[in-house]
């Protein structure tokens, strides 16, 4: 899941394409916030892979299954707990 945000950051040296379930990332190419919770069109085999390198900055640690229920274009609110 990804959506545009009004942030413009460079790719970090630790940026990567292969990510883990629950990773939160910033995708500089699309200026987008990303939530990784399953295979993507770029995935190979069982991995989770971004379209291109992303900066990972956090992780969702519970309720990932509920993300499969979010409809395309739905409003999303991000809150730190």
């Amino acid at each position: 899941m990804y959506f545009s945000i009004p942030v413009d950051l460079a790719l970090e040296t630790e940026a990567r394409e292969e990510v883990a379930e629950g990773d939160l990332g910033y995708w500089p190419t699309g200026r987008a916030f990303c939530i990784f919770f399953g295979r993507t069109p770029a995935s190979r085999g069982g991995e989770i892979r971004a379209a291109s390198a992303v900066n990972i900055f956090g992780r969702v640690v519970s309720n990932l299954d509920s993300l499969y229920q979010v409809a395309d274009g739905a409003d999303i609110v991000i809150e730190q707990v």
Side-chain angles (χ1 to χ4, degrees):
M1 175 179 304
Y2 68 96
F3 46 90
S4 296
I5 58 173
V7 174
D8 188 14
L9 297 173
L11 199 59
E12 298 174 350
T13 56
E14 303 86 23
R16 58 186 188 265
E17 291 182 16
E18 190 173 344
V19 298
E21 184 176 60
D23 277 352
L24 299 175
Y26 174 72
W27 182 39
T29 303
R31 293 179 59 187
F33 186 104
C34 306
I35 306 170
F36 296 98
F37 59 95
R39 292 179 39 83
T40 70
S43 293
R44 301 177 197 142
E47 71 183 10
I48 302 172
R49 181 174 291 273
S52 61
V54 293
N55 300 330
I56 300 300
F57 61 84
R59 171 165 289 160
V60 176
V61 295
S62 64
N63 298 323
L64 284 170
D65 289 339
S66 63
L67 294 174
Y68 286 100
Q69 306 306 314
V70 177
D72 286 346
D75 289 336
I76 298 175
V77 176
I78 304 296
E79 296 177 337
Q80 181 177 356
V81 179

